[in-house]
Each structure stands twice: as structure tokens, then as C-alpha cells.
Amino acid sequence: MEEKLQVVCAGHAVVDVLLDTVRPPMLEHDGPLRDASLAPGGDALNEALALRRLGVSVGFLGQLGEDLGGELLLTLLRRAGVDVGAVRRGGRTTLSAVNLLPGGEHRFWSFQSGGNALQADMLDEGMIARAKVFCIGSLMPHSGMDFPGLGEVCRRARAQGVLTAADAVLPPGDYDQNEMTAQLLPVIRQLDWFLPSIGEASVLTGEREPRLAARALQAAGARGVVLKLGARGCLLAAGGRELMVPAYPVPVVDTVGAGDNFVAGFLAGLSFGWSDRQCARLAAAAGALSTTAHGAAGGLKDLEQAMKLMKGSNEDETGNAF
């Protein structure tokens, strides 16, 4: 009998080329780099690796390139202990050049391969049925993703008692808000948890105020919503209540992958059977810690580190000592 997984992540897998330039913007001239490195990237892959560091058993679903980049990502997943038995291979690996800017910010230049346009037939529903939580990372309008098919996969997963979740990423360019939202609706309606940033939620709903944006996403069908608010923390909306969970102050080095680590923390909490508030606090801790080193996989080390940061805030579910 196959071992039950705590979480299955499906979606984007990328090789990031991290470039710390001496004189940005680098496209205007030749010159040296302060630092350069290769790192795993892509929402689903970052989430899977972060979950393993938090001690969660994870499976990864999606398509990896049939090239050196794909071999690199497959090796990293295997070394981390992620179940890759149902990964598909084909095409080229998505590559992103990430220009690191002062203050931990960054700019991306990406080559998108077809493997990141997640299709329902890329997903092993037998693996999903073995999990407590299934997460799509991420929902991206105008990307070629099979939203109706993915919605059906989520519906069948929920029917088997699996919690469903997804985050979002918006494509560059000027797209109609209503059209983008309509594309995502087949999946949003089948989600137990939707975890976009406030910027993404505002574009999808037309609402800039976090509570109004969260309510609009719930009205669209998501059972629970967690809005990532950056340095302000996050807003959790579920079960008729709305809670603000503050961010944890840390020295910021690089914000690449912070949102993915945040999502991983929330998924980990769900897999542990924690309360919604506890899940959000672990998410905030994981996201904060990820910013303390370069790359999406640098700062978050393990669950003990995250728990230590949470305990240091001196707050629990009811506002008392943790």
C-alpha cells in the first residue's frame, strides 16, 4: 500500500538565475556582477521544497523539461525527499533571470515553457487522493492552463476528503479584469483556500481594500481566503470571520520566493490539523524567514526555526502567550 502524503503540490517549476548587479539596470551596459547563482524556482516547486524543510511529506506533480534544467530540478526534488514518481518530462525548462535590487526587491525576465501551462492530464489523481492537502501553484490567467479541467480535479479531490488550495500569479501586460477572473472561476469555486497577494486579489476583484477583496473572492466560490499583505502580514477570511495576522520583523536580504514560502507554511499547518489562525501564523513565519537569505530556498531552515520565531511574538490563538 502506498504511503499517504500530507501535501501534493502541482504546477510551476523554474530554474532561477540570481544576478546581483553592481550597476543596475544591467540591460543598459556590460559589467561585473557582485554575485550570481542558480536556484530552484517556480511556485509549486518552491512550495514543495519549503514543505519538506518544515517536515511535511510531499508529492510534486507537473511537467519538467527534458533538458539539463529539468534534470537539475528533478535532482533537487529527489534529494529533498519529494515524491516525484508521477512527474512528467517533456519540452524545455522555464528559466528566469532574477535581477536582485537594493532593499531585497527584484525584477524577473522569464522564458516560459509549455510545462508551466498546467493541464489536468499532467496530474496523477491517485497521488492526490493519498494527500491531506492538494495545492496548485499558481493560477495564472492567459497562460494556457486548463482551468476547467483543473477545477474538475479539485472537485473530485474534495469529494475524497482532500483539502484544496491555490495561489495566483498575474501575467505581465494589460488584461481585462473580468476576463481574467472568469478564467480562474472554475478552479476558485472548488477551493477550500485561495491565497493570492493583495495586488493579485485587487486586480481579480476590482477591490483595493483587503476585506472587500477577500469577500469578493469568497462570493466567487472560495471557502476560505488568505490575502498576503507583505510587511503588514495577512488577512484570513473564513467561516464568517476575518482576522489580521501580523508579519514577523526580520532583516530582509531578498524577497524572491517569500510568497511561496508563506503558502508552504499555511499548507503545512493544514496538514498538521492546526487551526486557521495557527496556519496563518506559521505561514507568516515561513514567509518572513525566507527573506533573510538569497533565493527562495535560503532562509527557511526547518519547523523548529519557524516555531521559535512564532513563540518570540508572545501571541497565541486568543492573544495570550503562545
Side-chain angles (χ1 to χ4, degrees):
M1 183 176 178
E2 291 183 294
E3 181 183 355
K4 188 172 180 66
L5 295 166
Q6 289 171 283
V7 180
V8 169
C9 298
H12 298 169
V14 179
V15 173
D16 284 341
V17 184
L18 305 179
L19 304 173
D20 189 356
T21 62
V22 174
R23 293 187 301 152
M26 67 180 183
L27 294 182
E28 294 182 359
H29 49 72
D30 297 331
L33 297 169
R34 272 190 293 260
D35 196 10
S37 61
L38 293 178
D43 300 358
L45 187 138
N46 285 341
E47 289 160 13
L49 294 175
L51 281 160
R52 285 299 300 134
R53 294 194 295 278
L54 291 169
V56 176
S57 60
V58 188
F60 178 84
L61 294 174
Q63 180 170 301
L64 299 181
E66 207 160 20
D67 53 16
L68 287 175
E71 287 298 320
L72 171 64
L73 296 178
L74 193 61
T75 298
L76 289 171
L77 288 166
R78 283 175 172 156
R79 285 181 178 174
V82 176
D83 187 333
V84 293
V87 165
R88 285 177 50 168
R89 301 294 301 276
R92 297 170 61 185
T93 299
T94 293
L95 295 173
S96 288
V98 186
N99 189 189
L100 305 177
L101 303 175
E105 295 302 311
H106 52 271
R107 294 290 180 269
F108 284 92
W109 292 277
S110 297
F111 163 76
Q112 293 287 338
S113 76
N116 276 349
L118 192 65
Q119 308 296 305
D121 64 7
M122 293 179 182
L123 305 181
D124 183 330
E125 294 191 50
M127 175 181 279
I128 294 170
R130 290 161 46 203
K132 293 181 180 179
V133 187
F134 170 59
C135 182
I136 299 174
S138 289
L139 304 181
M140 183 175 181
H142 298 286
S143 64
M145 292 179 70
D146 175 17
F147 296 113
L150 296 173
E152 277 298 298
V153 170
C154 289
R155 183 188 65 78
R156 290 191 289 269
R158 292 175 96 183
Q160 298 182 77
V162 180
L163 292 173
T164 57
D167 52 352
V169 61
L170 299 182
D174 186 17
Y175 292 102
D176 180 76
Q177 172 248 316
N178 292 326
E179 183 183 355
M180 287 196 295
T181 305
Q183 286 186 27
L184 303 191
L185 279 179
V187 181
I188 291 175
R189 289 170 177 153
Q190 301 299 332
L191 293 180
D192 292 297
W193 292 101
F194 189 31
L195 300 99
S197 70
I198 181 56
E200 293 153 354
S202 295
V203 170
L204 292 173
T205 65
E207 300 286 357
R208 293 174 179 258
E209 205 282 322
R211 285 179 171 80
L212 295 180
R215 291 170 193 169
L217 291 172
Q218 288 182 291
R223 184 185 70 82
V225 174
V226 182
L227 294 187
K228 293 169 282 193
L229 305 177
R232 291 182 290 161
C234 68
L235 171 69
L236 185 151
R241 65 175 185 163
E242 296 168 341
L243 298 172
M244 282 292 300
V245 175
Y248 295 99
V250 295
V252 174
V253 174
D254 178 10
T255 60
V256 172
D260 301 334
N261 281 265
F262 177 99
V263 172
F266 195 85
L267 300 176
L270 291 177
S271 75
F272 299 153
W274 289 4
S275 70
D276 299 347
R277 173 69 177 269
Q278 288 172 313
C279 292
R281 294 188 68 228
L282 179 56
L289 288 168
S290 76
T291 69
T292 60
H294 284 301
L300 176 63
K301 304 301 182 186
D302 53 33
L303 182 61
E304 181 180 1
Q305 178 199 29
M307 292 292 291
K308 183 177 180 180
L309 184 61
M310 292 166 66
K311 290 178 180 177
S313 75
N314 202 37
E315 179 193 2
D316 75 349
E317 192 84 358
T318 58
N320 301 316
F322 187 87

